[in-house]
Amino acid sequence: MIYFVTSNRGKFAEAREIFEDLEMRNIGYTEIQADTLEEVADFGIREVARRLEGPVMIEDAGLFIPALKGFPGVYSAYVQKTVGNQGILKLMSEETDRRAFFRSVVAYAEPGLEPVTFEGEVHGRIGFEERGNLGFGYDPIFYLGNRSLGEMEIDEKNCISHRSASMNALKAWLSSRPEP
Ligand code: ITT
């Protein structure tokens, strides 16, 4: 059993489809202001591992838009809470380069183990309108082909997403290491 420390139910629902034995713990941790998701995740997992006994996992994710020099990136949670999807659509309204990608870094620790991290990405485009009410966060404005992630059920999103890539990499690592 792994404790997944997160405040985000959408993330947990997706992770739950990958790891059967997962428990959500909404206990918070320090999200440092840093330039990369790796730094945020590495600092966070060390704090979580000190506070919770047993296997623990956190995940830090963000939306990166090259035309906006990578914004909102490590500020994705704050931007989502403040200006939201409509704010991003407004910033992008005159922009022809619509490329965007999500990045996920998952960090895992257990007693006696130096924390490990795994990453995943999915590349798509920012649409011109919000579509769909599935998923969470930026899903309704992030398009793959002519559909948004907001129009995809979890199992479909999990075939392509940044989060499924990082978490499946962790899962593969966990099952491939020799028994202690
Ligand atoms: P934690 O408690 O796990 O930190 P959080 O929602 O604050 O939950 P992050 O710090 O990783 O998560 O912030 C990333 C933000 O980027 C998040 O709030 C979402 O708005 C957005 N985001 C991340 N993954 C996403 C996804 O798969 N689809 C849509 N938006 C996503």
Side-chain angles (χ1 to χ4, degrees), residues 77-89:
Y78 181 73
V79 170
Q80 178 61 223
K81 265 191 292 230
T82 52
V83 298
N85 289 338
Q86 287 302 320
I88 295 291
L89 290 180

PDB file of all heavy atoms in Angstrom, residues 77-89:
ATOM      1  N   ALA A  77      -0.655  25.641 -10.789  1.00  0.00           N
ATOM      2  CA  ALA A  77      -1.739  25.538  -9.804  1.00  0.00           C
ATOM      3  C   ALA A  77      -2.256  26.938  -9.456  1.00  0.00           C
ATOM      4  O   ALA A  77      -3.476  27.168  -9.407  1.00  0.00           O
ATOM      5  CB  ALA A  77      -1.258  24.814  -8.547  1.00  0.00           C
ATOM      6  N   TYR A  78      -1.344  27.881  -9.272  1.00  0.00           N
ATOM      7  CA  TYR A  78      -1.731  29.252  -8.927  1.00  0.00           C
ATOM      8  C   TYR A  78      -2.507  29.921 -10.068  1.00  0.00           C
ATOM      9  O   TYR A  78      -3.541  30.555  -9.844  1.00  0.00           O
ATOM     10  CB  TYR A  78      -0.479  30.065  -8.583  1.00  0.00           C
ATOM     11  CG  TYR A  78      -0.792  31.482  -8.199  1.00  0.00           C
ATOM     12  CD1 TYR A  78      -1.374  31.780  -6.956  1.00  0.00           C
ATOM     13  CD2 TYR A  78      -0.534  32.530  -9.081  1.00  0.00           C
ATOM     14  CE1 TYR A  78      -1.671  33.089  -6.615  1.00  0.00           C
ATOM     15  CE2 TYR A  78      -0.837  33.838  -8.740  1.00  0.00           C
ATOM     16  CZ  TYR A  78      -1.409  34.115  -7.505  1.00  0.00           C
ATOM     17  OH  TYR A  78      -1.717  35.404  -7.169  1.00  0.00           O
ATOM     18  N   VAL A  79      -2.032  29.731 -11.282  1.00  0.00           N
ATOM     19  CA  VAL A  79      -2.688  30.344 -12.447  1.00  0.00           C
ATOM     20  C   VAL A  79      -4.083  29.745 -12.647  1.00  0.00           C
ATOM     21  O   VAL A  79      -5.045  30.458 -12.937  1.00  0.00           O
ATOM     22  CB  VAL A  79      -1.800  30.182 -13.711  1.00  0.00           C
ATOM     23  CG1 VAL A  79      -2.543  30.582 -14.973  1.00  0.00           C
ATOM     24  CG2 VAL A  79      -0.526  31.004 -13.551  1.00  0.00           C
ATOM     25  N   GLN A  80      -4.180  28.418 -12.441  1.00  0.00           N
ATOM     26  CA  GLN A  80      -5.491  27.763 -12.561  1.00  0.00           C
ATOM     27  C   GLN A  80      -6.470  28.333 -11.535  1.00  0.00           C
ATOM     28  O   GLN A  80      -7.628  28.586 -11.835  1.00  0.00           O
ATOM     29  CB  GLN A  80      -5.325  26.254 -12.403  1.00  0.00           C
ATOM     30  CG  GLN A  80      -6.610  25.445 -12.466  1.00  0.00           C
ATOM     31  CD  GLN A  80      -7.361  25.557 -13.779  1.00  0.00           C
ATOM     32  OE1 GLN A  80      -8.576  25.690 -13.809  1.00  0.00           O
ATOM     33  NE2 GLN A  80      -6.648  25.521 -14.903  1.00  0.00           N
ATOM     34  N   LYS A  81      -5.974  28.555 -10.327  1.00  0.00           N
ATOM     35  CA  LYS A  81      -6.840  29.076  -9.252  1.00  0.00           C
ATOM     36  C   LYS A  81      -7.221  30.533  -9.479  1.00  0.00           C
ATOM     37  O   LYS A  81      -8.264  30.976  -9.031  1.00  0.00           O
ATOM     38  CB  LYS A  81      -6.114  28.987  -7.897  1.00  0.00           C
ATOM     39  CG  LYS A  81      -6.443  27.726  -7.122  1.00  0.00           C
ATOM     40  CD  LYS A  81      -5.929  27.792  -5.708  1.00  0.00           C
ATOM     41  CE  LYS A  81      -4.462  27.767  -5.660  1.00  0.00           C
ATOM     42  NZ  LYS A  81      -3.624  26.998  -4.935  1.00  0.00           N
ATOM     43  N   THR A  82      -6.377  31.293 -10.127  1.00  0.00           N
ATOM     44  CA  THR A  82      -6.636  32.730 -10.278  1.00  0.00           C
ATOM     45  C   THR A  82      -7.338  33.037 -11.603  1.00  0.00           C
ATOM     46  O   THR A  82      -8.555  33.196 -11.633  1.00  0.00           O
ATOM     47  CB  THR A  82      -5.328  33.544 -10.131  1.00  0.00           C
ATOM     48  OG1 THR A  82      -4.350  33.000 -11.012  1.00  0.00           O
ATOM     49  CG2 THR A  82      -4.817  33.481  -8.702  1.00  0.00           C
ATOM     50  N   VAL A  83      -6.597  33.074 -12.715  1.00  0.00           N
ATOM     51  CA  VAL A  83      -7.249  33.444 -13.983  1.00  0.00           C
ATOM     52  C   VAL A  83      -7.896  32.259 -14.701  1.00  0.00           C
ATOM     53  O   VAL A  83      -8.758  32.450 -15.557  1.00  0.00           O
ATOM     54  CB  VAL A  83      -6.273  34.169 -14.941  1.00  0.00           C
ATOM     55  CG1 VAL A  83      -5.805  35.467 -14.312  1.00  0.00           C
ATOM     56  CG2 VAL A  83      -5.078  33.294 -15.315  1.00  0.00           C
ATOM     57  N   GLY A  84      -7.473  31.039 -14.369  1.00  0.00           N
ATOM     58  CA  GLY A  84      -8.126  29.843 -14.893  1.00  0.00           C
ATOM     59  C   GLY A  84      -7.987  29.659 -16.404  1.00  0.00           C
ATOM     60  O   GLY A  84      -7.168  30.313 -17.059  1.00  0.00           O
ATOM     61  N   ASN A  85      -8.818  28.760 -16.934  1.00  0.00           N
ATOM     62  CA  ASN A  85      -8.731  28.435 -18.358  1.00  0.00           C
ATOM     63  C   ASN A  85      -9.039  29.641 -19.236  1.00  0.00           C
ATOM     64  O   ASN A  85      -8.420  29.826 -20.285  1.00  0.00           O
ATOM     65  CB  ASN A  85      -9.681  27.281 -18.684  1.00  0.00           C
ATOM     66  CG  ASN A  85      -9.185  25.975 -18.092  1.00  0.00           C
ATOM     67  OD1 ASN A  85      -7.995  25.837 -17.806  1.00  0.00           O
ATOM     68  ND2 ASN A  85     -10.087  25.030 -17.896  1.00  0.00           N
ATOM     69  N   GLN A  86     -10.005  30.453 -18.810  1.00  0.00           N
ATOM     70  CA  GLN A  86     -10.354  31.623 -19.620  1.00  0.00           C
ATOM     71  C   GLN A  86      -9.172  32.593 -19.705  1.00  0.00           C
ATOM     72  O   GLN A  86      -8.947  33.220 -20.728  1.00  0.00           O
ATOM     73  CB  GLN A  86     -11.594  32.328 -19.052  1.00  0.00           C
ATOM     74  CG  GLN A  86     -12.890  31.560 -19.311  1.00  0.00           C
ATOM     75  CD  GLN A  86     -13.137  31.319 -20.818  1.00  0.00           C
ATOM     76  OE1 GLN A  86     -12.886  32.184 -21.649  1.00  0.00           O
ATOM     77  NE2 GLN A  86     -13.625  30.125 -21.157  1.00  0.00           N
ATOM     78  N   GLY A  87      -8.409  32.692 -18.620  1.00  0.00           N
ATOM     79  CA  GLY A  87      -7.227  33.551 -18.617  1.00  0.00           C
ATOM     80  C   GLY A  87      -6.190  33.091 -19.622  1.00  0.00           C
ATOM     81  O   GLY A  87      -5.579  33.895 -20.331  1.00  0.00           O
ATOM     82  N   ILE A  88      -5.969  31.766 -19.686  1.00  0.00           N
ATOM     83  CA  ILE A  88      -5.009  31.213 -20.660  1.00  0.00           C
ATOM     84  C   ILE A  88      -5.518  31.439 -22.089  1.00  0.00           C
ATOM     85  O   ILE A  88      -4.766  31.850 -22.975  1.00  0.00           O
ATOM     86  CB  ILE A  88      -4.763  29.704 -20.397  1.00  0.00           C
ATOM     87  CG1 ILE A  88      -4.081  29.485 -19.034  1.00  0.00           C
ATOM     88  CG2 ILE A  88      -3.938  29.087 -21.523  1.00  0.00           C
ATOM     89  CD1 ILE A  88      -2.643  29.976 -18.948  1.00  0.00           C
ATOM     90  N   LEU A  89      -6.814  31.206 -22.311  1.00  0.00           N
ATOM     91  CA  LEU A  89      -7.375  31.414 -23.658  1.00  0.00           C
ATOM     92  C   LEU A  89      -7.193  32.862 -24.090  1.00  0.00           C
ATOM     93  O   LEU A  89      -6.879  33.158 -25.244  1.00  0.00           O
ATOM     94  CB  LEU A  89      -8.861  31.029 -23.694  1.00  0.00           C
ATOM     95  CG  LEU A  89      -9.162  29.531 -23.582  1.00  0.00           C
ATOM     96  CD1 LEU A  89     -10.673  29.285 -23.634  1.00  0.00           C
ATOM     97  CD2 LEU A  89      -8.455  28.738 -24.684  1.00  0.00           C
TER      98      LEU A  89
END
